[in-house]
């Protein structure tokens, strides 16, 4: 190990995560010479609003000038915790071009520009680490990239959005409807003022793109991920799920088979025996299958000040150690393959289909005929009692079917007078 003066760090952002990183680095400051081999010093903190009161933070560290940080040759690590695409994208590029190592928690940016930024980092001999961009405090990217690097990973299934897991847990345990559970999530600070990215599955889709790229060594961007959210899920769907011995979860799925990848996020009926079915409230979990590892599940807090700071500080320490040993840029982009990403029409799933139908002879035969004609094989049919409008509720569970065939069948069912409403269409594990 070479003698090293302290390593100077700039934080970009001092919000939820930035504040946690600041506090955690201070909490561990005296131990850093033992952990890293030298001291870590926060030299600048970039914020948007210099007037905001920031308890316990030395005001002399605050700046609203990115150029001050970019042009300071003593800054070795830039920690981007502002979020969003711009100016984060520009600042990260400029930091790497200036030979500075970068740590970020920014899933929006990495899910879109991760490959290009990793190449830029490598070209400049720098580290670019983004562990906290997926599943907050669970160090899943480090596990996939390092500890599990000897495996061929074939499947990742994740509950990677805490807000939606919290909402579905309330709907399951208290029989709440979606809107009531969302209001509760907002009240508790889980859901943001605009919850669209969480409830429509975009946040989980970005995390799945990053995990799939890392696990399968082939670049997947957010636009490659088919996303379905939970805003149409009802308490009735969840009641039926439980009758079937299942839990309803928003699951990100990434699979690699025969040289092709599928990545999607959707509500899924999971048997209660599946480890992910037991993950409740705002917790995240990632279930991985590797050829050597077999099955494993990693569970923890996917968001929040300190759980997220835990992963960011882990990345800072790793890069600081690389600086001390003179080996930054050692681990760049690991996407050395270019696998085909299956369009959603080609993926195969089992389905739960709930519909309100006319109560007259020939209805069941008509519906099963449409499904059969489209190669949709039925595994189970349950006819429920009449609903409050006098219509019969029919629940069909299909065998594994190709998405395209199933969607074609749905289009025809939707146009039939005997089918009054297609109430729910949910994938089944
Ligand atoms: P946040 O609370 O909104 O904080 C954002 C910080 O960035 C604020 O300090 C803000 O300054 C600063 N900022 C924003 N735009 C800026 C600009 N143009 N110039 C200078 N400073 C700017 O955000 P957060 O929740 O900490 O999230 C940060 C990142 O971590 C995001 O990429 C997010 O996706 C990711 N992440 C968050 C969590 C979580 O639990 N929150 C978990 C995992 C990953 P002011 O203080 O002056 O407004
Ligand atoms: N909004 C995310 C969630 C946390 O609910 O899990 C940040 O990634």
């Amino acid at each position: 190990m070479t003698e090293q003066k302290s390593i100077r760090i700039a934080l970009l952002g001092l919000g939820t995560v930035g504040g946690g990183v600041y506090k955690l680095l201070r909490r561990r400051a005296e131990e850093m010479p033992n952990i890293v081999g030298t001291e870590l010093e926060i030299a600048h903190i970039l914020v948007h609003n210099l007037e905001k009161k920031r308890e316990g933070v030395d005001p002399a560290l605050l700046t609203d000038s990115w150029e001050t940080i970019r042009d300071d040759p003593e800054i070795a690590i830039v920690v981007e915790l502002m979020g969003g695409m711009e100016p984060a994208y520009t600042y990260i590029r400029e930091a790497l071009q200036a030979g500075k190592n970068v740590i970020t928690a920014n899933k929006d940016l990495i899910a879109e520009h991760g490959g290009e930024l990793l190449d830029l980092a490598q070209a400049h001999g720098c580290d670019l680490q983004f562990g906290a961009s997926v599943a907050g405090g669970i160090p899943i990217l480090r596990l996939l990239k390092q500890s599990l690097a000897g495996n061929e990973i074939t499947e990742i299934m994740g509950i990677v959005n805490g807000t939606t897991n919290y909402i579905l847990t309330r709907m399951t345990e208290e029989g709440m409807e979606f809107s009531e559970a969302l209001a509760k999530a907002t009240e508790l600070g889980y859901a943001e003022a605009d919850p669209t990215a969480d409830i429509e599955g975009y946040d989980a889709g970005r995390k799945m793109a990053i995990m799939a790229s890392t696990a399968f060594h082939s670049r997947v961007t957010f636009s490659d991920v088919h996303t379905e959210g939970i805003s149409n899920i009802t308490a009735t769907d969840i009641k039926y799920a439980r009758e079937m011995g299942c839990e309803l979860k928003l699951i990100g799925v990434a699979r690699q088979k025969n040289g092709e990848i599928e990545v999607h996020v959707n509500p899924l009926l999971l048997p209660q025996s599946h480890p992910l079915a037991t993950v409740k409230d705002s917790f995240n979990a990632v279930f991985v299958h590797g050829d050597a590892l077999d099955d494993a599940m990693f569970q923890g807090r996917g968001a929040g000040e300190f759980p997220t700071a835990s992963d960011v500080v882990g990345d800072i320490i790793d890069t600081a150690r690389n600086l001390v040993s003179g080996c930054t840029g050692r681990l760049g982009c690991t996407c050395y393959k270019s696998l085909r990403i299956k369009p959603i029409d080609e993926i195969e799933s089992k389905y739960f289909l709930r519909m309100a139908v006319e109560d007259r002879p020939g209805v069941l035969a008509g519906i099963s005929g449409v499904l059969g004609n489209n190669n949709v094989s039925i595994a189970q049919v349950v006819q429920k009692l009449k609903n409050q409008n006098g219509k019969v509720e029919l629940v069909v569970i299909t065998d594994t079917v190709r998405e395209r065939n199933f969607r074609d069948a749905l289009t025809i069912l939707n146009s039939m007078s005997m089918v009054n409403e297609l109430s729910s269409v949910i994938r089944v594990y």
Side-chain angles (χ1 to χ4, degrees):
M1 228 177 252
T2 48
E3 271 288 311
Q4 171 94 32
K5 54 182 185 166
S6 71
I7 291 172
R8 287 166 68 92
I9 296 172
L11 298 185
L12 314 187
L14 193 67
T16 304
V17 183
V21 169
Y22 179 81
K23 289 177 207 159
L24 193 54
L25 282 175
R26 283 179 44 138
R27 199 191 283 172
R28 292 275 105 73
E30 282 184 14
E31 295 168 67
M32 282 304 165
N34 293 319
I35 296 172
V36 168
T38 188
E39 287 175 1
L40 302 184
E41 184 192 342
I42 297 174
H44 303 286
I45 304 174
L46 183 77
V47 291
H48 190 56
N49 177 4
L50 278 175
E51 306 304 315
K52 210 186 263 182
K53 261 204 158 329
R54 320 221 181 219
E55 197 113 337
V57 177
D58 178 358
L61 298 178
L62 299 174
T63 176
D64 58 4
S65 160
W66 159 243
E67 291 72 22
T68 303
I69 294 169
R70 183 193 62 195
D71 299 339
D72 181 345
E74 298 282 301
I75 296 296
I77 303 179
V78 168
V79 185
E80 187 278 307
L81 301 166
M82 302 183 299
M85 294 301 265
E86 284 291 358
Y89 179 52
T90 300
Y91 293 178
I92 288 179
R93 285 183 59 84
E94 290 184 358
L96 294 170
Q97 282 160 345
K100 300 181 192 308
N101 301 281
V102 172
I103 314 296
T104 177
N106 192 329
K107 59 198 156 263
D108 305 44
L109 191 57
I110 296 299
E112 195 63 43
H113 296 292
E116 160 211 334
L117 292 173
L118 279 164
D119 288 345
L120 186 64
Q122 203 153 34
H124 290 273
C126 297
D127 280 358
L128 168 63
Q129 303 209 51
F130 40 86
S133 65
V134 176
I138 309 174
I140 187 66
L141 292 182
R142 186 174 298 278
L143 289 166
L144 290 171
K145 210 160 193 167
Q146 300 191 25
S147 318
L148 304 178
N151 282 259
E152 181 181 35
I153 306 291
T154 47
E155 183 178 69
I156 299 177
M157 288 175 57
I159 293 176
V160 287
N161 184 268
T163 304
T164 45
N165 204 39
Y166 176 82
I167 291 172
L168 291 173
T169 304
R170 295 282 71 76
M171 291 175 75
T172 302
E173 296 192 345
E174 282 145 59
M176 286 182 186
E177 282 298 349
F178 172 78
S179 54
E180 195 188 346
L182 171 61
K184 187 85 188 155
T186 308
E187 182 191 317
L188 291 175
Y190 293 132
E192 298 190 19
D194 177 1
T196 312
D198 290 326
I199 64 177
E200 297 307 339
Y202 309 149
D203 174 78
R206 294 186 173 105
K207 293 167 180 169
M208 292 310 297
I210 298 170
M211 273 200 287
S213 303
T214 309
F216 303 150
H217 307 295
S218 185
R219 183 60 51 195
V220 177
T221 62
F222 175 53
S223 56
D224 299 317
V225 184
H226 174 84
T227 54
E228 292 166 29
I230 63 164
S231 51
N232 293 326
I233 299 292
T234 64
T236 308
D237 296 324
I238 293 186
K239 187 168 82 53
Y240 283 139
R242 299 212 108 190
E243 282 177 17
M244 292 164 54
C246 290
E247 299 291 332
L248 203 160
K249 296 286 184 189
L250 184 71
I251 302 284
V253 176
R255 293 197 180 101
Q256 180 196 190
K257 199 177 168 192
N258 302 330
E260 294 185 321
I261 297 176
E262 67 177 68
V263 191
H264 41 98
V265 172
N266 45 259
L268 187 69
L269 295 177
L270 271 178
Q272 278 157 350
S273 56
H274 193 288
L276 284 171
T278 64
V279 179
K280 293 186 182 178
D281 297 315
S282 64
F283 278 92
N284 281 202
V286 182
F287 182 85
V288 180
H289 183 85
D291 61 345
L293 172 74
D294 201 349
D295 289 339
M297 189 168 92
F298 308 94
Q299 181 175 355
R301 296 213 172 269
E305 181 182 20
F306 282 110
T308 313
S310 161
D311 211 326
V312 174
V313 170
D315 281 351
I316 293 173
I317 288 171
D318 190 53
T319 285
R321 285 173 171 154
N322 288 344
L323 279 163
V324 169
S325 299
C327 62
T328 57
R330 168 177 79 81
L331 199 58
C333 183
T334 50
C335 289
Y336 55 85
K337 297 183 190 171
S338 187
L339 302 179
R340 176 174 183 266
I341 299 165
K342 278 189 184 179
I344 191 70
D345 274 358
E346 290 179 26
I347 73 152
E348 295 187 333
S349 317
K350 293 179 190 164
Y351 269 99
F352 164 97
L353 173 59
R354 181 164 69 87
M355 52 195 141
V357 299
E358 297 289 320
D359 186 14
R360 58 177 162 85
V363 168
L364 204 52
I367 289 168
S368 58
V370 169
L371 293 173
N373 289 342
N374 286 281
N375 271 331
V376 176
S377 166
I378 298 172
Q380 204 183 333
V381 180
V382 183
Q383 182 171 321
K384 296 283 179 181
L385 295 176
K386 286 186 189 180
N387 65 17
Q388 61 268 44
N389 304 320
K391 305 295 177 194
V392 169
E393 187 137 86
L394 201 65
V395 173
V396 175
I397 313 290
T398 73
D399 286 322
T400 301
V401 299
R402 204 176 156 94
E403 179 84 11
R404 181 60 201 254
N405 296 347
F406 185 69
R407 293 286 158 194
D408 286 348
L410 284 188
T411 305
I412 300 173
L413 289 178
N414 228 346
S415 68
M416 292 164 76
S417 60
M418 64 177 72
V419 178
N420 295 110
E421 187 187 52
L422 289 180
S423 317
S424 310
V425 179
I426 305 172
R427 289 193 178 81
V428 180
Y429 181 70

